[in-house]
Amino acid sequence: MAHPKSKTSKTRRDKRRTHYKASLPTLATCSNCGATVKYHHICPECGYYRGKQVIEKEIAV
């Protein structure tokens, strides 16, 4: 088993981790209602996905 010869400093550890960051999600506009939607997700406003109604949404009047 590998053993470190000396302790890795906080600075050295943090330098190695500089590229481990979350990326922004890709967003699209709903083709039915125009709301902003995450890719590969059902529209939370109207319930459509790729031009087809997937879930029934009640229309607030």
Side-chain angles (χ1 to χ4, degrees), residues 1-5:
M1 218 167 110
H3 294 290
K5 194 158 194 153

Side-chain angles (χ1 to χ4, degrees), residues 5-55:
K5 194 158 194 153
S6 59
K7 181 179 177 178
T8 306
S9 69
K10 294 172 192 164
T11 306
R12 195 171 198 65
R13 177 200 65 202
D14 293 344
K15 280 182 188 177
R16 187 179 66 245
R17 294 179 181 172
T18 57
H19 301 291
Y20 297 161
K21 53 189 166 204
S23 58
L24 293 173
T26 308
L27 300 175
T29 53
C30 177
S31 59
N32 187 50
C33 68
T36 305
V37 184
K38 277 196 218 178
Y39 263 36
H40 304 103
H41 283 71
I42 298 170
C43 177
E45 303 295 324
C46 63
Y48 274 68
Y49 179 70
R50 295 185 70 186
K52 297 177 184 174
Q53 188 167 13
V54 181
I55 57 172

